[in-house]
Amino acid sequence: MDKMPKWADVVLIPLISLILAAILSALVILGIGEDPVAAVKLMVEGALGSTYGWGYTLYYATNFMFTGLAVAVAFHARLFNIGGEGQAMLGGLGVAVISLYVPWPHWSVALIAASAAAMLFGAAWAAIPAYLQARRGSHIVITTIMFNFIAAALLNYMLVNVMRPEGSMDPATARFPAAVHLPTLNEILAPLGIPFSKAAPANVSLLVAIGACILVWALIWRTRLGYEIRAYGHSETGARYAGISPFRITMIAMLISGALAGLMAINNVMGEAERLVLNSTEGAGFIGIAVALMGRSHPFGVFLAAILFGFLYQGGAELALWTSIPRELIVVIQALVILFTGALDNMVRMPLERLFLARSRRRRDRGEGAPLPERKPTRPGE
Amino acid sequence: MNASATPPAIELRGISKAFGPVQANRDISLSVAPGTIHGIIGENGAGKSTLMSILYGFYKADSGDILINGRKTAIPDSQAAIRAGIGMVFQHFKLVENFTVLENVVLGAEDGRLLRPSLARARRILKDLARDYGLDVDPDAVIEEIGVGMQQRVEILKALYRQAEILILDEPTGVLTPSEADQLFRILHRLKDEGKTIILITHKLREIMDATDTVSVMRRGEMTATLRTADTSPEELAELMVGRKVLLRVDKAPARPSRKVLQIENLRVADDKSVERVKGIDLDVHAGEIVGIAGVAGNGQSELLELLGGMRPGTGTVRLNGAVLPLEGAGADGQARRRAGIAHVPEDRQREGLIMEFHAWENVAFGYHHDPAYQKNRLWMDNAALRADTERKIGKFDIRPADAWLTARNFSGGNQQKIVVAREIERNPDLLLVGQPTRGVDIGAIEFIHKQIVALRDSGCAVLLVSVELEEILSLADRVVVMFDGRIMGERLPGETDERELGLLMAGVGSQAA
């Protein structure tokens, strides 16, 4: 009765989607008179060919892990949090406040405090749309989009009028003090004797992101709260029957989601820029949606998808730098990947499902298949 | 009747249809003589609806032929079915709620771009149809303002307006009161006398016996028998449906009611649109008895169950074992009700009682996920304990397939319901709320579920049963309460009443309770 083997769902479909996106991208590159093979080579070289490239790829991936997890957690409660961008901006504000105005003895303490502030600010920013959804029924997609704009305006105001250092022309905060500088991968790996590019921005936040993946997995699949979130996400009437409060789940899921998006700021603000600038999020909140879609809202899937998108980001930047392929086209390529892995999922899924069905029917007609659905060897979420 | 003189109105030859690994129809042949009523009976999932969907062009058969009036006919879509003279009345009506009867009849069959001439013509034709078949409906009434019985007539009129000679009705009495059902069957006989051919799909043995000339039995995608109705009996049909002998009556000892468990006084409950659906009822349920609430769907029974189950607020007084239950706010949710000793088998197991995407073992905790037995500590679920409990329930309640890892969606209706029943009954509640326990459940599982409910009653539980199946109420309940329009119309003992009397009460006619 079950349609497809698990591996086809998890591995084959994203892979085929990716290949389709790659083919279409190649055609586009051909169309503007460039060589797609050379372009791919350049992207792979630039993103994965050196520790410098890896350092950038992993830096972007760290951002996408946080925002991807944010979207994934909300997805499990069937809430579509498009506001990762704004929540991450607010998280940046929290990180900046903590880093600038409190003297810290050591980066590790600063990181804990900054993480807490980033999560708090992000969660607070998600709390308002969550409340409006849970109590007033205002659609969370609309409100979170709106809150992205409000966040951008608020950040603009704060940077121009409040946090900009005296005399500076730049809408940005001052540099953070050296004590809150987070160790880069270079600094972490050097004592182990592993050489890593000094210039690359990947930092200790990557480990935090990986930790967040594990924690989110445990939350969703192992705790009672996760059970309630998933139950509510699958059926609201079911939740009402079981005495699971829709208000409570909506609020908690969105608070966790906002906190995860906000937490991204320890990477891009504290780890990389070391000051808060306008548009520091660079659209990572939106990429998070694609990452969650492609990762099937599973933390491990999010982890892999985040690295893929990190590769696309970094490879794309290299393309823009070294070829005459315009920056806009890189966005087109990224959009194609999102389109195929996220939005056009069913285009690949349906024919594939039919294929597997036909195959299992043939096998059964030959008398090989079991009459009952086989006990699944893989256990989703385990 | 001379079968060789006129070809059958419908003939199916060797129809097969598979959905993936599921063979929904296997080599089905059927022949229905014109001007007869032919019943098709079978359990849920036996393939009745698939067969009719093939006949109406929704699905394409993998193999086999359809012959209409002796001519081989391809039916690739519903338009082709209509052209071939087939009309379908679905279980769930396909009417536009805020259109008039006339507009609904014309919809999709307009003569041209301008509506007015079509409507005028339709009005004339409707008048003729009403005269010919006794199908009186006000053409200017708006659908949402007329009753379900009328709405069903509109569906029949739609088919006749499209010149259907063959009418297929899928579970037509599911939403009707007994008297509305009687009216429907009178109309069907009139249609038959006028030469129409009717196929009646149902799972109710009584309707087959009362209304049809011939009957086919389906089981597991196959046509197991076609019989003349006059030559068969309900027992024989039930056995053909299930494949073994079944007890159609519930075997139970007389109830021995003791203390009052549930006391309801002047209870009022509103639905999601703030329309009052329970309008001040008083009701007691004692330990050791099953109180059945009869009524046509939509007369407040669902809201009553939902309030007691903590899914909906209300006003009035409800006492459980003498203690007043809060009826709104945080203390009135499903968790609080479960703690108070109320278990709830909800009316809609797929939307309420189960999470269809969850594994069987996850569903076993549903609603009881706060139970310390299922927790390692405040935060972590003890999934291993949960799975062990599920394995035990699977064995005890004979849930098939016996696989705790299967998602709820992949169990049959009967086994889904067994999961819910196992979960709720094993709590040993003081009060068990049961809504439509056997809707969409095969006869074999019905027998099992009824036995479990009776066993729980005998162990001293109070049971409140809501069902739209009068037969079920009459056979299972120790006391029958009839609800109409949010009020209790009367109370009867099952042994001292019959479907006719209850039917009148369900339609809002008859004396108040003594």
Side-chain angles (χ1 to χ4, degrees), chain B residues 396-430:
Chain B
K396 188 170 167 192
F397 287 79
D398 190 28
I399 295 164
R400 293 179 206 183
D403 183 352
W405 281 99
L406 213 58
T407 48
R409 191 176 296 294
N410 289 323
F411 287 93
S412 69
N415 283 294
Q416 288 173 0
Q417 190 71 326
K418 279 187 190 174
I419 296 176
V420 177
V421 168
R423 181 181 73 207
E424 301 300 322
I425 281 186
E426 290 245 308
R427 292 278 143 186
N428 269 324
D430 293 330

Side-chain angles (χ1 to χ4, degrees), chain B residues 37-53:
Chain B
I37 301 183
H38 183 91
I40 295 182
I41 194 164
E43 298 187 297
N44 278 333
K48 297 170 298 199
S49 296
T50 305
L51 188 63
M52 291 306 121
S53 298

Side-chain angles (χ1 to χ4, degrees), chain A residues 29-52:
Chain A
I29 293 172
L30 267 180
I32 61 162
E34 295 278 339
D35 178 4
V37 179
V40 170
K41 234 177 112 190
L42 194 63
M43 279 182 81
V44 175
E45 288 268 307
L48 311 173
S50 62
T51 58
Y52 174 82

Side-chain angles (χ1 to χ4, degrees), chain B residues 41-42 215-219 222-227 237 240-241:
Chain B
I41 194 164
V215 54
S216 297
V217 184
M218 288 191 74
R219 174 154 60 96
E222 291 180 50
M223 203 67 105
T224 51
T226 296
L227 306 158
L237 289 177
L240 284 166
M241 276 164 74

Side-chain angles (χ1 to χ4, degrees), chain B residues 131-446:
Chain B
R131 193 192 54 224
D132 294 347
Y133 303 110
L135 277 161
D136 274 319
V137 182
D138 172 11
D140 297 313
V142 178
I143 293 297
E144 58 194 352
E145 286 164 7
I146 60 178
V148 272
M150 279 294 174
Q151 293 183 2
Q152 193 169 51
R153 283 189 197 181
V154 177
E155 285 285 11
I156 295 174
L157 282 170
K158 267 169 68 180
L160 295 176
Y161 182 77
R162 287 158 178 76
Q163 285 156 5
E165 290 300 317
I166 301 158
L167 211 54
I168 304 170
L169 294 104
D170 188 5
E171 300 279 358
T173 59
V175 289
L176 303 183
T177 62
S179 68
E180 283 174 327
D182 285 346
Q183 281 175 26
L184 170 69
F185 288 126
R186 271 203 295 279
I187 291 169
L188 294 185
H189 276 110
R190 183 94 175 254
L191 288 167
K192 174 184 131 178
D193 292 343
E194 300 288 329
K196 307 278 184 197
T197 307
I198 292 161
I199 296 182
L200 176 67
I201 304 167
T202 181
H203 66 279
K204 292 181 184 165
L205 293 164
R206 200 175 58 98
E207 287 172 6
I208 292 286
M209 299 309 296
D210 289 354
T212 65
D213 301 307
T214 48
V215 54
S216 297
V217 184
M218 288 191 74
R219 174 154 60 96
R220 292 190 192 160
E222 291 180 50
M223 203 67 105
T224 51
T226 296
L227 306 158
R228 280 168 48 105
T229 311
D231 298 342
T232 185
S233 65
E235 286 76 17
E236 187 190 10
L237 289 177
E239 194 178 331
L240 284 166
M241 276 164 74
V242 186
R244 62 176 170 85
K245 278 215 181 303
V246 259
L247 206 57
L248 288 177
R249 279 186 41 257
V250 181
D251 206 9
K252 66 181 170 97
R256 283 175 300 147
S258 56
R259 69 197 162 82
K260 278 183 191 169
V261 171
L262 180 70
Q263 293 165 273
I264 298 174
E265 281 164 38
N266 191 25
L267 180 67
R268 292 172 186 276
V269 188
D271 66 9
D272 292 335
K273 292 173 186 156
S274 304
V275 177
E276 192 166 75
R277 302 308 290 266
V278 176
K279 299 173 177 170
I281 65 166
D282 303 297
L283 180 68
D284 291 343
V285 184
H286 300 79
E289 73 167 346
I290 300 173
V291 173
I293 297 189
V296 181
N299 277 288
Q301 314 96 305
S302 306
E303 285 76 13
L304 172 63
L305 267 198
E306 287 174 6
L307 171 115
L308 293 172
M311 297 173 66
R312 182 179 288 290
T315 60
T317 315
V318 176
R319 287 192 180 82
L320 188 74
N321 295 323
V324 175
L325 287 180
L327 298 186
E328 51 192 349
D333 68 357
Q335 287 298 319
R337 291 290 197 270
R338 282 173 180 81
R339 280 195 301 275
I342 298 177
H344 184 185
V345 177
E347 290 190 299
D348 187 339
R349 62 177 163 273
Q350 303 204 340
R351 289 178 60 236
E352 297 164 355
L354 296 167
I355 297 293
M356 300 303 278
E357 291 82 0
F358 274 13
H359 303 293
W361 63 265
E362 288 174 301
N363 272 305
V364 160
F366 194 48
Y368 301 98
H369 50 280
H370 286 268
D371 185 339
Y374 298 149
Q375 319 283 321
K376 278 186 186 145
N377 51 46
R378 267 192 51 120
L379 199 61
W380 300 90
M381 303 273 288
D382 190 348
N383 291 346
L386 196 43
R387 285 194 281 271
D389 189 36
T390 305
E391 297 288 353
R392 205 182 47 71
K393 284 188 168 69
I394 283 175
K396 188 170 167 192
F397 287 79
D398 190 28
I399 295 164
R400 293 179 206 183
D403 183 352
W405 281 99
L406 213 58
T407 48
R409 191 176 296 294
N410 289 323
F411 287 93
S412 69
N415 283 294
Q416 288 173 0
Q417 190 71 326
K418 279 187 190 174
I419 296 176
V420 177
V421 168
R423 181 181 73 207
E424 301 300 322
I425 281 186
E426 290 245 308
R427 292 278 143 186
N428 269 324
D430 293 330
L431 171 67
L432 178 70
L433 309 170
V434 193
Q436 321 294 352
T438 53
R439 179 188 276 169
V441 170
D442 44 274
I443 289 193
I446 288 180

Side-chain angles (χ1 to χ4, degrees), chain A residues 312-324:
Chain A
L312 284 176
Y313 246 59
Q314 170 55 13
E318 291 287 313
L319 268 191
L321 197 60
W322 298 110
T323 65
S324 55

Side-chain angles (χ1 to χ4, degrees), chain A residues 1-2 78 218-219 221-228 230-232 234-245 248 357 360-361 364-365 372-376 378-380 382, chain B residues 18 20-23 310-312 333-335 338 344 346 351-353 355 357-359 362-363 365-367 369-370 375 378-381 383 387 401 403 405-407 410 423-424:
Chain A
M1 251 161 272
D2 255 342
R78 198 172 287 172
L219 167 79
W221 304 103
R222 280 288 178 274
T223 68
R224 190 169 70 209
L225 179 62
Y227 180 93
E228 293 189 317
R230 285 185 294 131
Y232 172 75
H234 285 305
S235 165
E236 190 176 338
T237 46
R240 213 149 50 99
Y241 161 78
I244 297 168
S245 155
R248 186 173 149 261
L357 277 180
S360 71
R361 194 183 315 158
R364 200 206 41 218
D365 289 349
L372 292 176
E374 288 169 51
R375 195 187 167 93
K376 275 164 276 172
T378 49
R379 298 173 173 182
E382 297 303 301
Chain B
V22 182
Q23 191 76 35
M311 297 173 66
R312 182 179 288 290
D333 68 357
Q335 287 298 319
R338 282 173 180 81
H344 184 185
R351 289 178 60 236
E352 297 164 355
I355 297 293
E357 291 82 0
F358 274 13
H359 303 293
E362 288 174 301
N363 272 305
F366 194 48
H369 50 280
H370 286 268
Q375 319 283 321
R378 267 192 51 120
L379 199 61
W380 300 90
M381 303 273 288
N383 291 346
R387 285 194 281 271
D403 183 352
W405 281 99
L406 213 58
T407 48
N410 289 323
R423 181 181 73 207
E424 301 300 322

